[in-house]
Amino acid sequence: MNRALTLDDLVLAGIAVATGFLVAFLSRTLLRWLAKHAKRTRWNGDDVIVDALRTVVPWAAIAGGTAAAAAVLPLTKPVQHTVNQCLTVLLIFVVTVSAARVVAELVQSVTQSRSGVAGSATIFVNITRVLVLALGFLVMLQSLGISIAPMLTALGVGGLAVALALQDTLANLFAGIHILASKTVQPGDYIKLSSGEEGYVEDINWRQTTVRALSNNLIVIPNGQLAKANMTNFMRPEQELTILVQVGVAYDSDLEHVERVTMDVVAEVMTQITGAVPEHEPAVRFHTFGDSRIGFTVILGVGEFSDQYRIKHEFIKRLHRRYREEGIRIPAPARNVSLQQGTVVIPHPRTPEETGEALSVRVDG
């Protein structure tokens, strides 16, 4: 426009901007009220969507008011075009960031609500977020009139060089995806590697798996190493475990009585101790004539891996007390050493090549 700026133009522009801010304030207040009601529902997705709208709608109202003000003012076409482009880029940026957050949180919400899917594995969340941000960035460039075709071609050609430079990183990324897709390990599982590391899987991200040991320390394992390691998963195919407790009684014990007393203690522990599985059928199995005792195994069921320590603790305490009350003896290992009169020959510490001698000690009866 070639006309001069007037007071009416300024008043209309101010009204447009004020209207935009007013709409932003009212919409944010309304969305805050909706967020309180969304928290009462069971589905977490509505919380995520409303929270994202609280960011997008106010900014959209402000951008709309600013665009209306720019249209009222007597600006030249290049200036008007620049203002519109800046507002468009701002709006695309806000929508992209909000959409990335919404999609990532929805993915996390869905995975957490399903057993057998990586609930707290951030690898899927991060991949989703990066894809949405990349798409938003390309749309932003397109809106500025920048052709994205040469950029995509350059990325395709340079992808080989990037892949060669990031071999370890990409190997860990795809190893993490393979681990989660095969469902061999999921966050929350208790695992033990052949190298000795064990604990609860806390998270699987794009590079590494974090394991929390029972000592509450974190163990960081690269995904590639985890995929190649021999591993025991104590929570698959099911979380409940069978544990074995070794016991031994004296040879003069009545084994029928021993079995009845042991089963009584097992039933008591299974019904009174947290983490036990009363539905699991316990068993007592005699198996060994030892040097000083008859050995047998008590088979117990526990809810999950860490429960076994509490179950064993209570079972051994109560079994020991009950055996004392019933007069059942648990013999200590014993060794009889007989010394006869004669000569005991003990090799000399030095080699025979040095002296060719041996040290002799006589033991008199």
Side-chain angles (χ1 to χ4, degrees), residues 21-41:
F21 277 95
L22 179 61
V23 172
F25 174 76
L26 293 177
S27 62
R28 190 168 181 82
T29 303
L30 176 62
L31 290 171
R32 187 183 298 113
W33 177 79
L34 289 176
K36 294 180 180 179
H37 288 272
K39 291 181 180 179
R40 301 175 184 175
T41 62

Side-chain angles (χ1 to χ4, degrees), residues 53-310:
L53 291 176
R54 290 175 61 183
T55 302
V56 175
V57 174
W59 279 104
I62 294 173
T66 306
V72 170
L73 295 175
L75 303 177
T76 60
K77 288 185 178 180
V79 174
Q80 182 77 29
H81 179 68
T82 302
V83 171
N84 291 336
Q85 274 194 330
C86 292
L87 293 175
T88 302
V89 169
L90 175 62
L91 193 58
I92 293 175
F93 174 76
V94 173
V95 171
T96 300
V97 173
S98 299
R101 185 175 62 185
V102 168
V103 174
E105 292 186 3
L106 286 177
V107 169
Q108 187 172 15
S109 176
V110 170
T111 54
Q112 285 178 343
S113 63
R114 298 183 180 181
S115 59
V117 183
S120 61
T122 58
I123 184 171
F124 291 135
V125 176
N126 291 335
I127 289 176
T128 304
R129 184 182 289 113
V130 169
L131 288 177
V132 175
L133 290 176
L135 290 175
F137 178 71
L138 294 178
V139 172
M140 190 183 303
L141 293 179
Q142 191 71 28
S143 67
L144 292 174
I146 301 175
S147 177
I148 62 175
M151 182 180 300
L152 294 177
T153 303
L155 289 176
V157 174
L160 179 61
V162 173
L164 292 175
L166 301 176
Q167 290 185 59
D168 294 339
T169 301
L170 293 177
N172 288 324
L173 172 63
F174 288 109
I177 295 175
H178 169 71
I179 290 171
L180 294 173
S182 62
K183 298 182 181 180
T184 55
V185 178
Q186 300 292 332
D189 291 352
Y190 191 95
I191 63 173
K192 181 176 182 179
L193 304 183
S194 57
S195 54
E197 297 88 352
E198 62 178 293
Y200 289 96
V201 178
E202 289 285 303
D203 188 25
I204 303 175
N205 58 32
W206 61 274
R207 181 182 179 276
Q208 62 202 17
T209 298
T210 305
V211 177
R212 178 174 54 83
L214 292 179
S215 60
N216 215 29
N217 296 324
L218 292 180
I219 304 173
V220 178
I221 305 172
N223 292 333
Q225 180 180 339
L226 182 64
K228 294 185 292 185
N230 295 328
M231 176 183 60
T232 302
N233 192 331
F234 291 95
M235 291 191 173
R236 298 189 181 273
E238 58 184 21
Q239 186 171 334
E240 295 181 358
L241 299 175
T242 297
I243 61 173
L244 309 179
V245 180
Q246 304 299 329
V247 190
V249 295
Y251 273 92
D252 57 0
S253 302
D254 182 353
L255 298 187
E256 294 291 340
H257 181 57
V258 170
E259 185 175 3
R260 285 194 301 271
V261 171
T262 304
M263 291 298 293
D264 289 343
V265 176
V266 170
E268 178 184 331
V269 171
M270 290 293 101
T271 55
Q272 296 181 5
I273 304 304
T274 303
V277 182
E279 298 80 13
H280 184 277
E281 183 178 356
V284 174
R285 296 291 182 263
F286 294 95
H287 56 72
T288 305
F289 288 101
D291 293 338
S292 58
R293 64 180 67 189
I294 296 178
F296 62 94
T297 300
V298 181
I299 303 174
L300 305 173
V302 299
E304 61 107 359
F305 185 84
S306 62
D307 292 333
Q308 63 176 305
Y309 302 106
R310 179 171 57 255

